[in-house]
Amino acid sequence: MKINFNRLALVQNFVLLFFLFGFAIQARSEGDETVITGTVTDARTKQTLPGVSVTLEGSGIGTSANADGKYILRTTGGYSRIRFSFIGYQAVVKDITAGTNQVVNVSLPEDKHLLKEVTIKSGPKVRYRNKGNPAVELIRQVIAHKKFNNLDSYDYADYHQYEKMVFFFSDLSDKFKNKRMFKNYQFLFRQQDSTAMGGKNLLPIYMEEKLSDNYFRKSPYAKKRIITANNQVKYDENFIDNDGLQSIFNKMYQDIDIYSNNINLLGNQMLSPIADEAPTFYKFFITDTIKDVSPSLIELSFIPRNPADLLFTGKIYITMDGRYAVEKTALSVSNSININFVRQMQILLTFDKDDAGKYHLSQSDLKADFGLNRKKGGGLYGERLVTINNFAVGKPQPDAVYSGAEEISKPGADKKDDSFWKQNRPDTLNSRDANIYANIDSLQTIPSFKRTMKIVSLLLAGYYDTGPFEIGPTNTFYNFNPVEGFRMRLGGRTTAELSKRFYFETYGAYGYKDERFKYFLSGTYSINDKSIYKFPQEYIRASYQYDTAIPGQELQFVQEDNFFLSFKRGINETWVYNNIFRLDYVHEYVNHFSYKFEFKNWKQVPAGQLYFADSLNNQLNSVHDITTSELSTELRYAPNEKFYQGKLYRTPIPDKYPIFTLRYQQGIKGLFGGQYNYENITANITKRFYLSQLGFADVSTEGGYLFGQVPFPLLDIHHANQSYALQLQSYNLMNFLEFVSDHYAAINIDQNFNGFIFNKIPLLKELKLREVVSFKALWGGVRSENNPADNPQLLQFNSHGGVPTTYSLDSGPYTEGSVGIANIFKILRLDYVRRFNYLDHPNVARSGVRALIILQF
């Protein structure tokens, strides 16, 4: 540049430099970077709050607090105020100084009104309509864009997940806490604000943490969770099945996917507020527009059209950037909902934006408080917190990563020490949770606690633990039936305290009418060095049993003479004395495939009014007994099966996955006195079908075919029920030994509507009753070779006074159905059962009322 230093040019350049200098000063003032950092906490609990929105007022600049509640925000603008907002909390605004580095820590107070049931008030009452409703048009846009916003919209995605689940006895009064019996347990109690969910005094009972790597692939579709670390409270396995307890809690608190049509919660399916059919079941209202964030959000409130239905109430925050994505949501339930024991429920979901502008779940916080009384008294409070980070898209993994089961655990995942967890948790445990593991470990060393657990085990499981031997089950000590009259029994079994390899079980019983002793003895060797009462099992067992039984009612060993099965309707006098030797090999796999090989030598002697006689001899009991020797194989596959392993049997935790069973039996004549050659094949499939707002249906199908010629006690004797208890897998109006077949097919459907109909009826809906319907059909028959009418050398079908009481299904299928009311007093189901055919048989009941005690949410 050429500069002229004459006076005019000098003045002109001076003026120019003056303006440039002034502009530079202003530019520096506006261009210095402002850096704000800090931590966001809950004003009441002092815990950090992940996912809080942090924005500069008057701009589209913002960020979110990370998993530790920490944030950092940078700007070169001259902004003077910063705003913090989060669902469930009141927004807070703070002053800042432009052009400097500063720390702004903030505590957010709870918004007491946000998660209460949404109530829309206006002037004159206007009928709610979907047509022309802008809120409904908005939710339909959200529904239409689900496929672009949910996880399935990515070709590939992977992320790291941390989850923590804790459970407490809740709402405990000071009087309860200070009772003398808790004198040695005061170190366990936790205190919080009395207005918080769960009440003032909490008693921790369970805690679990998991770290996992998660992978998703759209095509071919695959989801995989690899658990890298798992930590949970462990109780003495003599009293509690820790794996089963974990399964129960995980079933109650599952992953919450707002984009799924149905959300699995507490063993039920609840319709998502953005489900395809949501406008049919929900009412929607636009309640706010938030413009000080980018993109701007619309707050959409929703309530159930019918408060008793299995639906949510709450708010959704929707992005107004053309994606119609969910940015945050707060879910709760109505006080009128037809779910048992729930006092309060709160679900907060937070979503973060990725580099492509899509939103993915970053945090899920589920809290619920349960109680027998919804308003007062002790209860159970549980919380599940899920934090997702390191979310990445478009990175395909090797095929080996996606193959196999959907969820696996790395070897040693449950062996991580405290130092590992301190380093790998996204945040340190708060004071409430920090010592739960150690305190419950200490609790189990207190003698008074051990004594209490023994008493509880006796009352609930029926066994009294003496260390290496436990006595029980108590509900079999007393029994009565027409053959034995009054019956006394005493038994027990060894525990893992005696040996982890060898287990023994025995009982002795005496009938005062038949004046005979009965007994059972078994010895089991655990091949995989695990308790035989712990999954997965692998063992060899030998057993011998001499006892009474009802033909066709063969149950598992020691459950046969439960006291509550003593009460029967109608005539119940067809019995046998069984002499059974069994040799079993059982092998279960982690994927829930199992097989069983068995040798069984079985001698049956008729008792009561049952007799064995052929047509060639008119004398009753001309045949004293029949003996069979049998080899059998059973294959079972129950993918993703969950259960609680009790002292006597496994209690399944119902799920949507089917269970397949295939059984083959081969009778061998001449082997250890076996009198018959035959083959029997049986197949069974059971599955629960979830039907959203219509509840669920449990469906079971079974079929069998017997090859060979055998007497009627070896045919398939169909499962009858002459007790007054409703048995879902038996025919409740069929008499014992009424029907036999050598080929058959059956279907059983039990439909639970979860109150879908009763919830619509005024007054009745206040009782929170639930409607159930069931139907059972059995097709079968006896081929000529096994029909004693065509083969006089075969044993005759049973009869009384010349009137037949045992039949084949020659006149079509046996059918029965029922309609019932469930959830009476929250525990009772009553069914009116009706039998539709074969009504001319003697001593049959055309209809009856049956009861079932069942505890469910």
Side-chain angles (χ1 to χ4, degrees):
M1 179 186 292
K2 184 177 180 180
I3 302 178
N4 296 317
F5 285 98
N6 58 40
R7 181 176 294 181
L8 180 60
L10 183 61
V11 172
Q12 288 174 337
N13 281 282
F14 180 81
V15 173
L16 178 62
L17 289 171
F18 178 83
F19 280 104
L20 289 173
F21 182 75
F23 179 80
I25 293 175
Q26 182 180 4
R28 180 175 180 181
S29 174
E30 293 184 356
D32 278 0
E33 187 177 45
T34 304
V35 181
I36 312 112
T37 60
T39 303
V40 188
T41 57
D42 183 307
R44 179 179 56 80
T45 67
K46 310 306 178 186
Q47 298 181 41
T48 56
L49 289 176
V52 174
S53 293
V54 184
T55 57
L56 295 169
E57 282 204 328
S59 78
I61 302 170
T63 187
S64 295
N66 66 13
D68 301 322
K70 300 182 184 301
Y71 72 93
I72 181 169
L73 190 59
R74 302 175 187 273
T75 182
T76 56
Y79 302 105
S80 60
R81 290 163 69 83
I82 187 170
R83 186 176 189 270
F84 302 85
S85 60
F86 191 53
I87 294 177
Y89 294 84
Q90 299 176 28
V92 172
V93 177
K94 294 283 189 179
D95 293 330
I96 57 173
T97 303
T100 64
N101 294 350
Q102 54 210 286
V103 177
V104 179
N105 296 323
V106 66
S107 297
L108 299 186
E110 287 184 346
D111 185 344
K112 300 292 186 182
H113 304 287
L114 178 64
L115 287 171
K116 292 183 178 179
E117 185 173 350
V118 177
T119 304
I120 308 299
K121 296 182 179 180
S122 61
K125 186 174 181 179
V126 178
R127 182 182 178 186
Y128 180 89
R129 299 179 64 182
N130 280 353
K131 186 176 181 180
N133 187 335
V136 175
E137 294 304 317
L138 178 59
I139 200 64
R140 283 177 174 155
Q141 288 286 359
V142 176
I143 294 169
H145 285 77
K146 284 197 300 181
K147 60 184 177 181
F148 305 110
N149 292 316
N150 62 12
L151 183 65
D152 293 351
S153 66
Y154 296 100
D155 290 328
Y156 300 93
D158 57 83
Y159 54 91
H160 185 70
Q161 178 170 304
Y162 166 79
E163 57 185 280
K164 179 184 71 174
M165 186 160 52
V166 288
F167 280 86
F168 305 82
F169 286 132
S170 61
D171 299 284
L172 305 176
S173 65
D174 289 333
K175 181 179 179 181
F176 178 87
K177 175 190 170 186
N178 295 323
K179 283 187 176 182
R180 184 176 179 182
M181 63 183 295
F182 297 117
K183 179 181 179 181
N184 296 328
Y185 308 137
Q186 291 299 310
F187 68 94
L188 291 171
F189 287 92
R190 299 288 184 271
Q191 287 193 330
Q192 60 176 10
D193 190 309
S194 60
T195 62
M197 190 182 300
K200 178 181 177 182
N201 295 312
L202 299 172
L203 182 63
I205 58 171
Y206 183 79
M207 180 169 171
E208 176 188 347
E209 295 176 282
K210 286 181 185 175
L211 288 170
S212 62
D213 294 322
N214 298 263
Y215 304 92
F216 170 79
R217 181 181 64 191
K218 180 187 288 186
S219 182
Y221 184 86
K223 290 182 76 172
K224 188 65 169 281
R225 173 173 295 178
I226 302 175
I227 298 173
T228 57
N230 182 24
N231 196 18
Q232 73 172 112
V233 163
K234 297 280 189 180
Y235 287 96
D236 187 338
E237 291 189 349
N238 286 326
F239 304 116
I240 293 178
D241 172 23
N242 290 297
D243 292 338
L245 193 66
Q246 182 183 48
S247 295
I248 291 172
F249 287 145
N250 278 277
K251 178 68 175 178
M252 290 171 60
Y253 283 23
Q254 298 186 56
D255 290 336
I256 307 297
D257 182 5
I258 192 71
Y259 284 102
S260 175
N261 282 332
N262 295 289
I263 295 173
N264 294 312
L265 192 62
L266 304 179
N268 295 292
Q269 278 195 337
M270 300 182 66
L271 194 73
S272 168
I274 61 172
D276 296 346
E277 299 300 321
T280 303
F281 294 94
Y282 285 100
K283 294 180 180 180
F284 293 94
F285 307 88
I286 295 175
T287 48
D288 198 4
T289 302
I290 304 171
K291 296 183 178 180
D292 56 355
V293 295
S294 180
S296 59
L297 304 173
I298 287 185
E299 179 186 86
L300 194 65
S301 298
F302 54 89
I303 58 175
R305 290 175 182 264
N306 186 334
D309 284 344
L310 297 183
L311 302 166
F312 293 103
T313 180
K315 300 175 185 287
I316 308 175
Y317 293 80
I318 301 165
T319 64
M320 299 310 297
D321 55 357
R323 296 182 182 275
Y324 298 97
V326 177
E327 199 261 355
K328 289 187 183 74
T329 185
L331 306 175
S332 186
V333 294
S334 164
N335 288 331
S336 303
I337 192 170
N338 194 341
I339 292 182
N340 292 330
F341 314 120
V342 177
R343 289 171 170 166
Q344 296 181 73
M345 181 183 292
Q346 171 185 308
I347 303 171
L348 300 177
L349 304 178
T350 307
F351 296 78
D352 280 351
K353 186 191 293 186
D354 63 19
D355 295 337
K358 291 185 177 182
Y359 286 81
H360 65 270
L361 182 68
S362 59
Q363 187 181 75
S364 169
D365 189 3
L366 166 60
K367 301 175 182 177
D369 191 24
F370 309 93
L372 294 177
N373 187 313
R374 293 190 102 173
K375 295 183 179 180
K376 62 181 180 178
L380 182 71
Y381 168 73
E383 178 178 348
R384 182 176 185 255
L385 176 68
V386 176
T387 303
I388 292 173
N389 51 39
N390 298 335
F391 191 91
V393 299
K395 297 179 180 179
Q397 302 293 328
D399 288 342
V401 172
Y402 303 107
S403 63
E406 283 191 9
E407 181 176 298
I408 63 172
S409 293
K410 278 190 172 181
D414 59 346
K415 306 296 183 184
K416 306 299 184 182
D417 58 18
D418 289 343
S419 62
F420 171 88
W421 284 101
K422 288 178 181 179
Q423 293 174 5
N424 289 277
R425 286 187 186 103
D427 193 8
T428 56
L429 293 178
N430 57 45
S431 57
R432 184 197 67 180
D433 302 339
N435 298 316
I436 290 180
Y437 293 123
N439 285 348
I440 292 183
D441 285 344
S442 299
L443 172 69
Q444 296 183 82
T445 65
I446 300 176
S448 59
F449 177 78
K450 291 183 177 180
R451 290 193 297 269
T452 301
M453 290 302 292
K454 288 183 179 181
I455 295 172
V456 171
S457 178
L458 176 65
L459 295 176
L460 298 182
Y463 280 91
Y464 182 75
D465 185 17
T466 64
F469 190 81
E470 53 187 8
I471 302 169
T474 55
N475 59 6
T476 63
F477 287 176
Y478 168 78
N479 184 267
F480 58 89
N481 60 68
V483 172
E484 298 175 276
F486 173 66
R487 168 186 166 116
M488 295 291 290
R489 174 182 141 167
L490 184 65
R493 63 189 186 185
T494 64
T495 69
E497 192 170 324
L498 179 68
S499 172
K500 290 186 177 181
R501 288 282 191 181
F502 295 94
Y503 295 83
F504 300 95
E505 184 171 357
T506 187
Y507 71 75
Y510 182 76
Y512 284 84
K513 182 177 179 180
D514 66 353
E515 298 181 341
R516 295 191 189 186
F517 284 99
K518 293 86 181 177
Y519 52 87
F520 170 79
L521 177 66
S522 75
T524 306
Y525 175 72
S526 174
I527 296 174
N528 61 1
D529 199 26
K530 281 189 174 184
S531 167
I532 60 172
Y533 307 111
K534 186 174 177 62
F535 177 84
Q537 300 174 342
E538 185 181 8
Y539 62 77
I540 296 175
R541 169 181 286 155
S543 65
Y544 186 82
Q545 183 181 38
Y546 171 64
D547 210 338
T548 56
I550 300 172
Q553 304 299 304
E554 182 182 359
L555 303 175
Q556 285 292 324
F557 296 119
V558 295
Q559 300 177 55
E560 294 176 355
D561 49 4
N562 187 306
F563 169 74
F564 298 103
L565 297 181
S566 299
F567 303 94
K568 300 287 195 302
R569 62 171 177 84
I571 298 174
N572 172 34
E573 296 185 355
T574 53
W575 289 69
V576 293
Y577 288 103
N578 280 332
N579 292 264
I580 304 175
F581 171 79
R582 282 188 175 96
L583 183 63
D584 301 302
Y585 171 68
V586 174
H587 193 167
E588 296 178 332
Y589 293 88
V590 176
N591 66 355
H592 294 275
F593 172 78
S594 64
Y595 60 85
K596 173 182 176 181
F597 298 131
E598 181 180 85
F599 168 73
K600 176 181 175 182
N601 183 262
W602 183 16
K603 178 181 178 181
Q604 300 183 64
V605 178
Q609 293 188 12
L610 179 65
Y611 59 87
F612 293 166
D614 56 44
S615 300
L616 302 177
N617 191 328
N618 292 325
Q619 273 190 314
L620 296 180
N621 287 333
S622 58
V623 178
H624 180 265
D625 60 72
I626 58 175
T627 301
T628 57
S629 291
E630 179 181 283
L631 296 174
S632 66
T633 300
E634 180 177 290
L635 306 178
R636 185 177 185 273
Y637 181 48
N640 301 295
E641 182 182 37
K642 300 290 188 296
F643 50 80
Y644 183 86
Q645 177 69 62
K647 293 280 189 179
L648 280 173
Y649 47 81
R650 290 173 174 173
T651 301
I653 300 172
D655 213 327
K656 63 181 180 181
Y657 302 101
I659 299 175
F660 305 92
T661 306
L662 179 64
R663 185 180 303 109
Y664 173 78
Q665 298 162 285
Q666 172 74 65
I668 304 175
K669 185 176 181 179
L671 179 64
F672 296 104
Q675 298 170 311
Y676 303 95
N677 286 318
Y678 59 88
E679 296 174 86
N680 198 357
I681 299 175
T682 307
N684 178 280
I685 303 174
T686 62
K687 177 176 168 54
R688 171 167 289 189
F689 293 89
Y690 286 97
L691 305 172
S692 188
Q693 292 298 289
L694 292 177
F696 61 88
D698 289 324
V699 179
S700 175
T701 61
E702 183 172 288
Y705 199 96
L706 187 145
F707 300 87
Q709 188 179 63
V710 295
F712 78 87
L714 299 182
L715 298 176
D716 287 301
I717 302 174
H718 300 297
H719 296 293
N721 172 31
Q722 286 188 219
S723 74
Y724 296 98
L726 181 71
Q727 294 184 10
L728 300 179
Q729 298 304 320
S730 298
Y731 300 98
N732 290 288
L733 292 179
M734 184 185 289
N735 290 336
F736 293 135
L737 200 55
E738 183 178 356
F739 290 103
V740 295
S741 299
D742 58 16
H743 61 282
Y744 72 95
I747 187 167
N748 178 1
I749 302 172
D750 190 59
Q751 170 68 45
N752 293 254
F753 288 99
N754 279 346
F756 182 77
I757 300 171
F758 290 162
N759 290 345
K760 313 297 189 293
I761 303 175
L763 299 179
L764 188 61
K765 67 181 181 181
E766 303 299 327
L767 300 176
K768 299 186 178 179
L769 302 175
R770 301 169 188 173
E771 52 289 289
V772 289
V773 177
S774 71
F775 176 75
K776 298 172 183 176
L778 170 66
W779 293 263
V782 177
R783 302 189 307 274
S784 176
E785 63 182 309
N786 290 314
N787 192 333
D790 300 328
N791 294 276
Q793 74 276 14
L794 290 173
L795 298 185
Q796 299 176 28
F797 284 168
N798 211 51
S799 64
H800 294 301
V803 179
T805 56
T806 299
Y807 304 86
S808 61
L809 292 159
D810 295 329
S811 301
Y814 170 90
T815 55
E816 69 178 36
S818 70
V819 293
I821 300 175
N823 209 42
I824 302 171
F825 308 121
K826 300 181 181 180
I827 62 169
L828 181 63
R829 169 177 168 177
L830 287 179
D831 277 32
Y832 171 76
V833 188
R834 180 135 184 116
R835 175 169 169 161
F836 299 124
N837 52 5
Y838 293 101
L839 301 177
D840 56 339
H841 289 185
N843 304 310
V844 299
R846 292 171 176 262
S847 61
V849 176
R850 301 291 178 265
L852 176 66
I853 294 177
I854 182 169
L855 188 68
Q856 57 186 5
F857 286 105

